[in-house]
């Protein structure tokens, strides 16, 4: 499971490339994450990075899920949150504890996989929303998809607000498209 920490690092870096491509005009763009625009998805990601870091270090996140985590500098907010998040996952005991998040009390390795999933999927959501799916890290998307399938799938999490019903995508399609289809995103017609 220690590999998941490296995957989180890579997902933070890959998503930072996507976040760097955002501008003020893209913040209201709809995303594949139903009913959320770019700003809402990014705010959710930044807030969750703070929540995971707080849960791992036994501190308070300083705000709640509905807070404005982005302020006037979305890229700066993402960069700061990524730094805090990365440091928390690299604590020597990071994978030894139980992590209390909105899904409940999870063993840290499971929480790390949840976090990795969120970073990759929402990163792709952002890339697709701004018409830049080529920014998605297909290697990471493929790794996540393989991990989900190897662990028995995600059917138990298929519910509104988490994952919708799988959308069929041809096996030969890029990994980010197959991942979006697997988690039930219905935007594939406009995703190269």
């Amino acid at each position: 499971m220690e590999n998941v920490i490296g995957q989180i690092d890579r997902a933070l870096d890959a998503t930072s490339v996507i976040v760097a491509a955002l501008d003020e005009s893209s913040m209201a763009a709809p995303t594949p994450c139903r009913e959320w625009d770019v700003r809402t998805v990014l705010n959710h990601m930044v807030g969750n990075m703070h929540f995971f870091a707080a849960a791992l270090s036994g501190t308070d996140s300083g705000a709640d899920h509905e807070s404005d985590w982005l302020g006037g500098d979305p890229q700066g907010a993402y960069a700061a949150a990524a730094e805090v998040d990365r440091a928390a996952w690299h604590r020597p005991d990071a994978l030894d504890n139980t992590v209390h998040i909105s899904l409940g009390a999870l063993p840290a390795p499971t929480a790390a996989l949840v976090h990795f999933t969120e970073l990759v999927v929402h990163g792709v959501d952002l890339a697709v929303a701004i018409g830049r799916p080529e920014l998605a890290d297909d290697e990471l998307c493929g790794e996540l998809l393989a991990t989900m399938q190897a662990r028995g799938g995600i059917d138990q999490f298929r519910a509104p607000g988490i994952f919708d019903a799988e959308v069929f995508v041809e096996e030969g399609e890029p990994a980010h498209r197959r991942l979006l289809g697997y988690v039930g995103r219905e935007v594939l017609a406009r995703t190269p």
Side-chain angles (χ1 to χ4, degrees):
M1 265 320 273
E2 293 211 12
N3 182 46
V4 75
I5 303 301
Q7 289 174 314
I8 288 171
D9 284 342
R10 290 170 49 216
L12 289 168
D13 293 342
T15 303
S16 72
V17 172
I18 297 163
V19 170
L22 302 177
D23 59 29
E24 189 57 40
S25 68
S26 64
M27 289 295 157
T31 70
C33 193
R34 196 172 295 184
E35 298 181 22
W36 282 8
D37 63 13
V38 166
R39 184 175 180 84
T40 305
V41 170
L42 184 58
N43 193 66
H44 170 77
M45 290 178 72
V46 169
N48 275 351
M49 285 190 275
H50 284 288
F51 283 114
F52 274 99
L56 287 165
S57 61
T59 61
D60 181 31
S61 66
D64 61 34
H65 282 284
E66 302 305 317
S67 296
D68 178 5
W69 293 92
L70 303 181
D73 182 9
Q75 283 87 0
Y78 179 87
E83 185 177 314
V84 168
D85 188 50
R86 190 184 314 269
W89 285 109
H90 281 275
R91 292 169 54 101
D93 63 346
L95 294 179
D96 298 337
N97 300 310
T98 298
V99 179
H100 300 272
I101 59 172
S102 61
L103 294 176
L106 301 175
T110 302
L113 185 56
V114 168
H115 190 46
F116 173 56
T117 299
E118 178 176 85
L119 289 169
V120 174
V121 172
H122 283 319
V124 175
D125 286 336
L126 294 175
V128 169
I130 63 169
R132 299 286 309 274
E134 76 279 3
L135 295 177
D137 185 322
D138 271 340
E139 184 176 334
L140 273 176
C141 291
E143 288 174 24
L144 176 56
L145 186 56
T147 298
M148 289 173 152
Q149 292 169 336
R151 293 176 65 95
I154 59 171
D155 286 343
Q156 66 184 355
F157 302 106
R158 290 196 189 278
I162 302 177
F163 298 122
D164 288 329
E166 184 172 359
V167 175
F168 177 76
V169 178
E170 294 286 341
E171 189 60 35
E173 291 293 323
H176 71 273
R177 285 179 53 91
R178 289 184 284 119
L179 177 63
L180 286 180
Y182 188 67
V183 301
R185 301 300 204 249
E186 295 183 21
V187 299
L188 300 173
R190 67 176 212 241
T191 308

